[in-house]
């Protein structure tokens, strides 16, 4: 899941621990890492979402990622859905 698509799910309050873990795994696959991203990738899908969100916010700071506009988030999420259909 792209970062912007993840922010869409956060905005809509439909985000899950699985979303955060998948996001961190994609970053690692693309050679983007930080201490908090590594920690998120080690969580199981059943972990407490509040704990994962603490590390997610730390990862955003470590990677200097800023919250995108809602329009950018929605476009990214639609793109992710289209890729799943294909």
């Amino acid at each position: 899941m792209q970062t912007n698509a993840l922010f869409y799910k956060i905005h809509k309050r439909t985000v899950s621990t699985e979303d955060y873990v998948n996001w961190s795994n994609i970053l690692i696959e693309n050679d983007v890492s930080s201490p908090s991203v590594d920690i998120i990738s080690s969580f199981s899908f059943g972990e407490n979402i509040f704990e994962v969100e603490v590390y997610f916010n730390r990862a955003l700071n470590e990677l200097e990622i800023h919250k995108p506009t809602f329009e950018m988030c929605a476009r990214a999420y639609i793109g992710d859905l289209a890729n799943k259909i294909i």
Side-chain angles (χ1 to χ4, degrees):
M1 174 173 291
Q2 293 181 7
T3 301
N4 289 352
L6 181 63
F7 272 111
Y8 176 83
K9 292 188 86 170
I10 292 168
H11 185 276
K12 289 294 189 175
R13 295 188 175 119
T14 60
V15 71
S16 67
T17 299
E18 182 177 353
D19 295 324
Y20 288 116
V21 173
N22 290 337
W23 170 79
S24 68
N25 290 332
I26 289 170
L27 288 181
I28 292 169
E29 289 172 6
N30 291 314
D31 295 324
V32 177
S33 188
S34 75
S36 295
V37 169
D38 295 340
I39 291 169
I40 294 169
S41 70
S42 70
F43 282 120
S44 69
F45 295 158
E47 295 288 336
N48 184 321
I49 193 164
F50 299 110
E51 185 176 356
V52 178
E53 286 176 336
V54 168
Y55 286 102
F56 174 71
N57 289 319
R58 287 182 188 171
L60 294 179
N61 289 330
E62 293 165 359
L63 299 172
E64 298 180 3
I65 297 173
H66 302 284
K67 186 176 179 181
T69 65
F70 179 74
E71 182 178 335
M72 290 175 64
C73 296
R75 288 179 187 270
Y77 187 67
I78 290 168
D80 274 1
L81 292 177
N83 285 334
K84 285 181 185 178
I85 292 170
I86 295 173

